[in-house]
Amino acid sequence: MTPVKVVVLDDYQGFAEPIFGKLDASQFDITHIKDTLLPYNHKDASTSVKETLVERLKPFQIISTMRERTPFPKELISQLPNLKLLLTTGRRNAALDLDAFKQCGIPVAGSADRTAGPDSTTQHCVTLILALARNIAQDDLSVKTGGWQTAAATGLAGKTLGVVGLGRLGVNVAKILHLAFGMRVVAWSTNLTQETADEKARSAGLTVQNDDGEKLFKVVSRDELFSQADVVSVHLVLSDRSRGLINSNDLSRMKPSSFLVNTSRGPLVVERDLLDTAKAGRIKGIALDVFDTEPLPSNSEWRSLDWGKNGSSQVLLTPHMGYVEEKPLKDWYQQQVANIERWARGDELQNRLA
């Protein structure tokens, strides 16, 4: 019997290789592709890029993908006649057109997150905030290139954290920075109410108000959040409604001494507006783990060593590392392999999404 062709996409660290290597080689022919092509549905994707992606994926019956690295819109799915099963990490992947998969009769299964304690993205977000405030990257470069102290650090004790989106991640970041540094927390999102914010504080094991009688997670208006916050941290789910939500009007209200940190999704903030703000140095610093196009194009304006010079803002960049920890990634891939074996036996898939 001809082995089933399986491809593992976008496994930059190579964690999947030994795990998928345990599949029976007589049953499964495994290919690993670590580079990411421009998304099929990206506005800059040319016809040749689209054709290259289709030809790359067409031979395979099973595709393993990392959450939101390679999008699968309807037009791409319809050009993959051999595809019988798609596996994704996580239990949610906004880059997959699940309705199209259902229409084509192609099952989609995710992977459960079994990590206990503060999640990886929360840890990464707090790290970026601290690194930005303490000039870690700037001072590290200075010392390594023969220099010494650069700018003064920014103390966070008693400062205001503005959380845009008070979901699980927003609550976790707010809780840590409040308890560790005594930061005052204000929050805003489109439908957030004070009653909801109070319940989230209780669920996090916090009091609803502080000793001064102020709400611990104080819901404010959009304008108030951006004008009051010393640190703005973005924690929204990307959707048609939230795409480009944060724009030049919001950024212009921020204090010249403030920071903006985005570990959620790049397109939540209008990139051109953020670049213009950084180049003009209208705020002190920006930390980004997410971008409009990922991997970040080689000619991106963010790829510069001149940030922090000639009046521009400090810019700290990481390559979408918020969720990249060895243990959970290996666990996700182990679940994918288990689902492949279930599929081969005709058993029910776990964490089925479509």
Side-chain angles (χ1 to χ4, degrees), residues 195-206:
E195 182 180 11
T196 298
D198 289 347
E199 182 54 40
K200 289 181 179 292
R202 291 190 194 96
S203 297
L206 302 171

Side-chain angles (χ1 to χ4, degrees), residues 155-175:
L156 296 178
K159 296 291 181 64
T160 299
L161 171 69
V163 182
V164 181
L166 198 60
R168 176 178 57 86
L169 296 175
V171 168
N172 288 345
V173 169
K175 178 180 179 178

Side-chain angles (χ1 to χ4, degrees), residues 36 38 293-304:
T36 300
L38 194 67
T293 301
E294 298 179 5
L296 194 62
S298 59
N299 63 349
S300 169
E301 293 178 68
W302 291 117
R303 292 186 184 269
S304 171

Side-chain angles (χ1 to χ4, degrees), residues 9 14 18 36 72 101 113 117 122 131-132 152 158 164 177 179 189 292:
L9 304 178
T36 300
F72 283 82
F101 278 108
D113 190 348
T122 294
L132 198 57
V164 181
L177 292 176
L179 293 178
S189 64
D292 276 24

Side-chain angles (χ1 to χ4, degrees), residues 3 13 26 44 53 81 90 96 136 152 160 193 219 262 273 278 281 292 302:
Q13 288 77 25
S26 66
D44 296 327
L53 182 58
L96 305 181
I136 298 299
T160 299
T193 65
V219 177
N262 187 3
D273 293 350
D292 276 24
W302 291 117

Side-chain angles (χ1 to χ4, degrees), residues 9-303:
L9 304 178
D10 308 326
D11 174 27
Y12 303 147
Q13 288 77 25
F15 291 144
E17 293 186 33
I19 298 171
F20 276 74
K22 295 178 181 178
L23 287 167
D24 186 343
S26 66
Q27 288 186 272
F28 302 99
D29 178 12
I30 313 297
T31 299
H32 295 268
I33 301 176
K34 294 184 179 181
D35 68 304
T36 300
L37 293 175
L38 194 67
Y40 188 95
N41 53 350
H42 191 276
K43 60 182 177 63
D44 296 327
S46 64
T47 300
S48 62
V49 168
K50 293 180 178 181
E51 290 174 347
T52 299
L53 182 58
V54 170
E55 290 306 309
R56 166 181 283 189
L57 300 178
K58 188 180 289 185
F60 300 101
Q61 290 143 298
I62 299 177
I63 295 176
S64 160
T65 182
M66 179 65 67
R67 188 179 73 185
E68 296 179 28
R69 286 188 181 170
T70 296
F72 283 82
K74 182 177 182 179
E75 189 177 348
L76 174 59
I77 297 166
S78 66
Q79 297 180 77
L80 304 177
N82 296 314
L83 185 58
K84 306 300 181 192
L85 172 65
L86 187 127
L87 302 166
T88 178
T89 55
R91 291 203 228 190
R92 183 181 69 212
N93 189 341
L96 305 181
D97 188 334
L98 295 179
D99 288 337
F101 278 108
K102 291 176 183 177
Q103 291 169 11
C104 294
I106 301 170
V108 178
S111 307
D113 190 348
R114 298 167 179 166
T115 304
D119 61 273
S120 179
T121 303
T122 294
Q123 296 175 55
H124 197 77
C125 181
V126 172
T127 299
L128 288 180
I129 291 171
L130 294 176
L132 198 57
R134 307 305 301 184
N135 296 320
I136 298 299
Q138 182 182 4
D139 286 347
D140 173 76
L141 180 62
S142 176
V143 174
K144 288 177 178 176
T145 54
W148 196 234
Q149 294 184 4
T150 56
T154 298
L156 296 178
K159 296 291 181 64
T160 299
L161 171 69
V163 182
V164 181
L166 198 60
R168 176 178 57 86
L169 296 175
V171 168
N172 288 345
V173 169
K175 178 180 179 178
I176 291 170
L177 292 176
H178 170 71
L179 293 178
F181 302 105
M183 291 194 77
R184 172 176 175 259
V185 178
V186 296
W188 171 83
S189 64
T190 306
N191 298 313
L192 182 63
T193 65
Q194 188 61 61
E195 182 180 11
T196 298
D198 289 347
E199 182 54 40
K200 289 181 179 292
R202 291 190 194 96
S203 297
L206 302 171
T207 59
V208 173
Q209 59 188 35
N210 59 28
D211 294 338
D212 296 327
E214 185 179 45
K215 294 290 187 179
L216 201 66
F217 293 165
K218 184 179 180 182
V219 177
V220 296
S221 70
R222 179 174 178 165
D223 290 350
E224 288 174 323
L225 183 138
F226 283 95
S227 61
Q228 293 179 16
D230 297 289
V231 178
V232 173
S233 190
V234 182
H235 300 282
L236 295 171
V237 174
L238 181 63
S239 66
D240 290 339
R241 187 178 67 174
S242 63
R243 186 179 298 273
L245 182 68
I246 299 172
N247 55 39
S248 59
N249 290 332
D250 304 305
L251 299 172
S252 67
R253 297 181 189 279
M254 293 179 66
K255 303 174 184 178
S257 59
S258 65
F259 303 116
L260 182 137
V261 179
N262 187 3
T263 55
S264 291
R265 291 293 179 269
L268 293 167
V269 185
V270 178
E271 184 179 49
R272 184 71 262 162
D273 293 350
L274 189 58
L275 278 164
D276 290 345
T277 296
K279 289 181 175 181
R282 297 191 189 105
I283 61 178
K284 187 171 184 179
I286 296 166
L288 303 175
D289 186 47
V290 289
F291 306 89
D292 276 24
T293 301
E294 298 179 5
L296 194 62
S298 59
N299 63 349
S300 169
E301 293 178 68
W302 291 117
R303 292 186 184 269

